[in-house]
Amino acid sequence: MNRIAVISDIHGNVPALEAVLDDIQFRRIEKIICLGDLAGKGPQSHDAIAMVREHCEITVKGNWDDFITKETEFETLKWHQDQLTDEDRRYLTLLPFSAELTMSGRLIRLFHASPFSIYTRIQPWDSIERRMSMFENTEMTGESLMQPDIAGYGDVHQAFVHQYKDKMLFNAGSVGNPLDMNQASYAVLEGLEGEEAEGPFSIQLIRVPYDIERSIRIAREADMPDLKEYIQELTTAKYRGLS
């Protein structure tokens, strides 16, 4: 059996990413796929990008990875942009929209937010119609002859697995900014990679504790803007927009 780790939404939180990578190594998982949002919100975007580039075989683009490379009038975003090098910006610009692979006879499609856009957000509590739309073929994913059996994404920072008869939808949660519980999250896919015949397959959701106080200390020492809101999210797993 092959195992693939799927990580997402690091958001410049290096202590959280280090903890997840250590856990992946401890489990002897050799392949990692990243579903975007490497940068922003946290203080160490440059370092997070470098670590993802080193460890992840495939990385797709998130919404933060897109708008952090564009001109802005917002001072907070300008601060995060200043943490990037020209090479960081080039790398983020060239990231693909989605990725596909086959495991145990199942076509798996991975993207950041939805098959429609890196900005189209679909929550686990949305209508069944919206959740089933995650399996659609679109111009962004390519006009494939087959719809995926499994769709995986990030973006909403809520880890879950839903089964709909012969379809599975999962969210890897967030490494650096989880909003369901304050531990880093990632997913593990297990099956026979590249195998066209149907066989055993599983998705496991992993939670990893990390040094939140260290993440806060790094942000404070960097004089990062929106520090109060960042601390709230890391310590309570409550989105700042709901405070």
Side-chain angles (χ1 to χ4, degrees):
M1 300 289 280
N2 306 112
R3 292 187 295 166
I4 300 173
V6 181
I7 67 174
S8 190
D9 295 86
I10 293 94
H11 285 295
N13 187 345
V14 166
L17 180 57
E18 289 174 339
V20 165
L21 292 175
D22 285 347
D23 190 73
I24 291 170
Q25 183 179 34
F26 177 74
R27 296 171 190 271
R28 299 182 180 178
I29 300 172
E30 297 182 352
K31 183 172 182 176
I32 308 174
I33 297 174
C34 179
L35 304 187
D37 273 10
L38 287 60
K41 298 194 83 171
Q44 294 181 283
S45 293
H46 168 71
D47 292 335
I49 291 169
M51 293 170 68
V52 167
R53 294 186 71 170
E54 177 182 357
H55 294 281
C56 297
E57 184 169 319
I58 300 170
T59 301
V60 302
K61 183 182 292 188
N63 53 304
W64 266 90
D65 305 322
D66 182 53
F67 63 68
I68 202 171
T69 66
K70 298 178 179 178
E71 291 187 11
T72 182
E73 297 179 354
F74 297 102
E75 293 303 318
T76 294
L77 184 54
K78 287 181 180 179
W79 188 92
H80 288 289
Q81 289 176 330
D82 288 342
Q83 311 312 305
L84 304 181
T85 66
D86 289 342
E87 172 58 23
D88 291 335
R89 285 184 278 272
R90 186 198 69 83
Y91 172 74
L92 295 179
T93 300
L94 295 176
L95 289 175
F97 178 81
S98 62
E100 291 187 359
L101 67 151
T102 299
M103 292 188 83
S104 296
R106 295 159 176 85
L107 177 62
I108 304 170
R109 180 176 293 155
L110 304 169
F111 40 74
H112 178 68
S114 77
F116 310 103
S117 166
I118 55 176
Y119 293 98
T120 300
R121 180 160 293 161
I122 296 180
Q123 298 283 4
W125 52 80
D126 281 346
S127 69
I128 186 64
E129 290 78 17
R130 281 182 60 78
R131 282 177 280 151
M132 291 303 293
S133 74
M134 297 289 267
F135 301 96
E136 292 183 14
N137 296 330
T138 69
E139 182 179 354
M140 299 299 295
T141 62
E143 299 300 330
S144 172
L145 295 177
M146 295 179 57
Q147 286 191 349
D149 304 292
I150 298 166
Y153 72 119
D155 185 55
V156 297
H157 302 205
Q158 305 270 343
F160 70 88
V161 179
H162 289 177
Q163 180 82 49
Y164 312 108
K165 294 185 179 179
D166 59 345
K167 302 282 190 183
M168 294 180 74
L169 176 66
F170 79 93
N171 191 289
S174 172
V175 169
N177 189 223
L179 296 175
D180 47 6
M181 64 181 293
N182 63 350
Q183 293 185 359
S185 176
Y186 75 100
V188 175
L189 311 180
E190 185 174 40
L192 295 175
E193 187 177 5
E195 178 58 58
E196 298 294 335
E198 190 173 25
F201 175 83
S202 67
I203 300 175
Q204 183 179 13
L205 299 178
I206 312 292
R207 306 309 298 232
V208 183
Y210 71 97
D211 191 344
I212 293 175
E213 290 304 316
R214 180 180 164 221
S215 295
I216 293 171
R217 184 169 63 252
I218 292 170
R220 183 176 285 117
E221 291 174 352
D223 198 22
M224 190 183 79
D226 293 347
L227 179 62
K228 179 181 177 181
E229 293 83 356
Y230 185 64
I231 292 173
Q232 173 195 302
E233 290 185 344
L234 294 195
T235 56
T236 70
K238 182 179 179 182
Y239 179 52
R240 66 188 69 181
L242 300 178
S243 60

